[in-house]
Amino acid sequence: MSNQKASFLVVANRLPVDSVTDADGNRHWRRSPGGLVTALHPVLQAEKGTWVGWAGNAGPAPEAFDLEGVRLHPVSISQAEVQRYYEGFSNASLWPLYHDAVETRTFRRSWWAAYEEVNQRFATIAAEEAAQNAVVWVQDYQLQLVPAMLRQMRPDLRIGFFLHIPFPPVELFMQMPQRVQILKGLLGADLVGFQRPFAAQNFLRLTKHLLGLQPRGHYVAVDDDLADERLVRAESFPISIDTATNESIAAEPEVIKRAEEIRNELGDPRTIILGVDRLDYTKGIELRLKAFRELLEDGELSVPDTVMVQVATPSRERVEHYMKLRNKVELEVGRINGDFGQVGGPAVHYLHQSYDRRELTALYRAADIMAVTPMRDGMNLVAKEYVSSRLDNTGALLLSEFAGAAGELHQAYQVNPHDMAALKQGFLEAMHASDTDKIKRMRAMRRHVRKHDVQRWARRFLSALGVPEQQALSRQCLGQRAEGTFTTVNEPT
Ligand code: ADQ
């Protein structure tokens, strides 16, 4: 393992690796599938970069190690900190608040103390590992204090921050007891990136409202002890998927065959409606199921002509809201199947499981309507994955206006999921649209996702951060695709 300092670092809650046990019982690390890692891996390799993050198990962290030319520096997080920093402040305070408070947020002082402490630990490791004038890219809501902490220790660094989830409007953000600390934490960065322009505007407005600063355009000037005046740039950089890899998986003969098998296994219905979400209350799974049930009740849809497949990936299972959500969703699925299912033919096929990328892509290929109807979502990569898997331009995307993806996928059948009548109407519109209309829409969306892939996202962000091209952060380097990588963002959000 090299002791060299890194000129490029990624700091994220999770390391992009999984610990796996092989047939002989030996444990080793394997690079995990993820859009973020796919986009950043070539840069990290070229720069002999370092990724700082948690390996996923509570307790002491393993030693730093090299994997495929990238140094991975695990951060230790104790069991109590997992509960307070991760499940508590990150996922029971920040997550609901940043998603329009669609679920009640809870603030506890002990959670905040752990959040500060863990953020300081990440920042300290990054400061120790970074070479003079290095570039550090901090990811997401779990680490919002890291930019300022890092700048305090290492004013020479170029610091970027990207928020993967929405940034709330001023009135909501103001509820947070530690609002000033969080905002100042983010202002430690040179560049703060968001999924959508609205989020960047919310952030800039907040700097005025809370700190009396004077934002101008995309910039706000801050005075800190370290410099007379420093400019912080805030802008949107909508994230995307590794489109080329996704398309090539969708074209594999086994995936095509598997899609046909899935249709058969579902009883060859005329219409398959698909939902794929982490089991999270922001994703609108309950409302979607309700709309489906009402359409069956109204006689607008019938089983087995139409079936729904809902994949609900297990998520944050120790957080109370998530346990309750699971019960509610499963009750609703049971109710729909009780009322409308047949022997051997349920109305809703509910799968509380993780899938491998090929099975997921086969599902995308099999689905006539993809329902992506979150109440609020930073981006939603599932929508983009569905579009990129529709190689023949068929299929329909029903998309919530409140997903970041709605800002780009204008040709989707867009709906307000809070309006039950509109949601039902959206389903019917997508279902009854002519093939010509659907193909026209899908073709335009595919073109967009092809051009705006995750590699382009990383390039845009890093060039806005002022990273010089000669540092191998060039188009060519970021355009390379690593073998065997997939498109999921592996953040265990
Ligand atoms: P998430 O909330 O996790 O991400 P999303 O963007 O949809 O939401 O990404 C989920 C990923 O997990 C997708 O790549 C999907 O394919 C994968 N996935 C879902 N179910 C799966 C299953 N059962 N098995 C295997 N893989 C599965 C957060 C924000 C989003 C933002 C992303 C990226 O909440 O708004 O788009 O980060 O910035």
Side-chain angles (χ1 to χ4, degrees):
M1 192 181 68
S2 81
N3 287 321
Q4 239 188 320
K5 306 269 181 202
S7 56
F8 179 60
L9 292 93
V10 172
V11 183
N13 177 56
R14 277 299 301 269
L15 283 176
V17 288
D18 297 316
S19 161
V20 288
T21 309
D22 63 23
D24 301 329
N26 302 317
R27 281 168 73 82
H28 60 95
W29 296 103
R30 187 183 57 194
R31 177 140 62 101
S32 55
L36 193 59
V37 60
T38 304
L40 298 179
H41 205 264
V43 194
L44 285 159
Q45 274 178 328
E47 290 292 303
K48 300 204 171 22
T50 293
W51 189 306
V52 178
W54 179 41
N57 293 317
E63 288 283 301
F65 57 97
D66 289 346
L67 186 74
E68 298 174 30
V70 175
R71 189 177 206 202
L72 298 164
H73 199 117
V75 180
S76 64
I77 299 187
S78 70
Q79 189 56 52
E81 285 166 347
V82 172
Q83 280 163 16
R84 292 172 184 172
Y85 147 78
Y86 182 67
E87 293 165 359
F89 197 78
S90 296
N91 288 323
S93 308
L94 291 170
W95 181 268
L97 187 72
Y98 280 30
H99 286 87
D100 285 356
V102 295
E103 193 53 90
T104 334
R105 77 285 166 291
T106 308
F107 300 120
R108 294 219 182 117
R109 282 166 289 181
S110 61
W111 291 356
W112 167 252
Y115 186 81
E116 261 188 315
E117 209 164 303
V118 173
N119 270 245
Q120 186 63 58
R121 195 171 307 145
F122 275 80
T124 303
I125 293 172
E128 283 165 4
E129 294 298 313
Q132 190 69 19
N133 301 321
V135 173
V136 184
W137 191 356
V138 184
Q139 310 285 329
D140 227 358
Y141 64 104
Q142 302 94 347
L143 300 176
Q144 293 174 99
L145 304 178
V146 169
M149 289 171 165
L150 202 48
R151 181 167 300 281
Q152 189 66 36
M153 290 181 275
R154 292 288 307 270
D156 59 298
L157 301 176
R158 193 98 191 123
I159 304 170
F161 179 91
F162 184 76
L163 186 69
H164 290 255
I165 67 174
F167 191 81
V170 172
E171 313 83 75
L172 262 179
F173 189 89
M174 291 302 285
Q175 292 182 8
M176 178 135 58
Q178 300 81 13
R179 57 201 186 185
V180 172
Q181 292 97 311
I182 297 271
L183 188 56
K184 286 190 170 170
L186 293 169
L187 285 169
D190 296 290
L191 174 65
V192 187
F194 299 91
Q195 302 275 27
R196 298 200 67 176
F198 264 136
Q201 282 163 24
N202 287 345
F203 172 79
L204 288 167
R205 269 194 212 119
L206 194 64
T207 64
K208 181 168 184 182
H209 187 81
L210 199 54
L211 302 178
L213 302 179
Q214 298 294 330
R216 296 256 182 283
H218 293 305
Y219 291 88
V220 59
V222 295
D223 274 327
D224 47 32
D225 317 337
L226 305 162
D228 283 347
E229 195 175 76
R230 195 167 54 79
L231 279 184
V232 178
R233 178 170 170 181
E235 216 177 320
S236 68
F237 298 86
I239 200 169
S240 194
I241 57 168
D242 180 6
T243 313
T245 303
N246 238 38
E247 284 189 355
S248 73
I249 292 175
E252 288 175 12
E254 304 82 68
V255 172
I256 297 172
K257 188 162 154 265
R258 179 67 194 131
E260 283 161 12
E261 271 169 26
I262 290 173
R263 280 204 88 93
N264 278 335
E265 284 163 13
L266 291 171
D268 239 335
R270 194 178 306 163
T271 310
I272 298 174
I273 299 173
L274 175 66
V276 174
D277 314 80
R278 265 187 317 100
L279 188 47
D280 193 297
Y281 49 80
T282 59
K283 303 288 183 184
I285 303 170
E286 282 176 283
L287 293 175
R288 188 184 309 156
L289 288 169
K290 184 165 192 254
F292 184 56
R293 173 165 51 78
E294 289 195 11
L295 286 167
L296 292 169
E297 281 166 0
D298 300 346
E300 296 278 7
L301 300 181
S302 64
V303 183
D305 230 31
T306 303
V307 297
M308 186 178 209
V309 177
Q310 177 63 56
V311 177
T313 322
S315 182
R316 303 175 193 167
E317 295 187 290
R318 285 150 38 110
V319 178
E320 199 187 334
H321 284 318
Y322 291 76
M323 297 179 203
K324 287 191 178 147
L325 174 73
R326 182 172 177 189
N327 287 338
K328 283 192 274 184
V329 165
E330 294 182 357
L331 199 68
E332 181 68 4
V333 169
R335 185 173 162 198
I336 298 174
N337 284 337
D339 289 346
F340 300 99
Q342 300 168 350
V343 174
V348 181
H349 296 252
Y350 170 75
L351 303 149
H352 184 244
Q353 297 160 34
S354 277
Y355 281 103
D356 88 13
R357 173 64 27 201
R358 283 173 173 76
E359 181 72 4
L360 215 48
T361 309
L363 276 167
Y364 292 147
R365 284 199 61 121
D368 303 293
I369 298 180
M370 180 82 217
V372 178
T373 55
M375 293 195 260
R376 174 62 77 190
D377 214 333
M379 173 54 60
N380 197 296
L381 297 178
V382 168
K384 293 186 173 180
E385 289 166 3
Y386 176 70
V387 165
S388 78
S389 308
R390 306 300 304 188
L391 301 181
D392 59 359
N393 297 320
T394 60
L397 175 64
L398 183 67
L399 181 62
S400 162
E401 293 165 19
F402 298 92
E408 295 173 83
L409 304 179
H410 305 291
Q411 297 82 3
Y413 297 91
Q414 294 203 4
V415 284
N416 170 6
H418 303 275
D419 178 348
M420 188 49 65
L423 184 53
K424 287 166 67 181
Q425 194 48 44
F427 268 115
L428 294 177
E429 201 193 331
M431 192 162 283
H432 299 313
S434 69
D435 287 348
T436 327
D437 182 50
K438 285 192 281 198
I439 286 174
K440 205 170 107 205
R441 288 168 183 254
M442 192 58 78
R443 185 178 290 130
M445 291 191 286
R446 276 195 61 216
R447 207 177 299 132
H448 180 88
V449 173
R450 265 197 171 166
K451 189 164 173 210
H452 299 82
D453 61 8
V454 73
Q455 288 82 1
R456 177 186 166 122
W457 168 79
R459 251 185 347 247
R460 270 196 68 221
F461 186 93
L462 290 172
S463 93
L465 188 54
V467 176
E469 295 265 314
Q470 62 269 30
Q471 279 187 28
L473 300 165
S474 63
R475 285 185 156 263
Q476 192 195 357
C477 170
L478 276 167
Q480 273 175 17
R481 279 190 298 111
E483 280 294 301
T485 53
F486 307 124
T487 53
T488 53
V489 163
N490 193 49
E491 195 61 21
T493 43

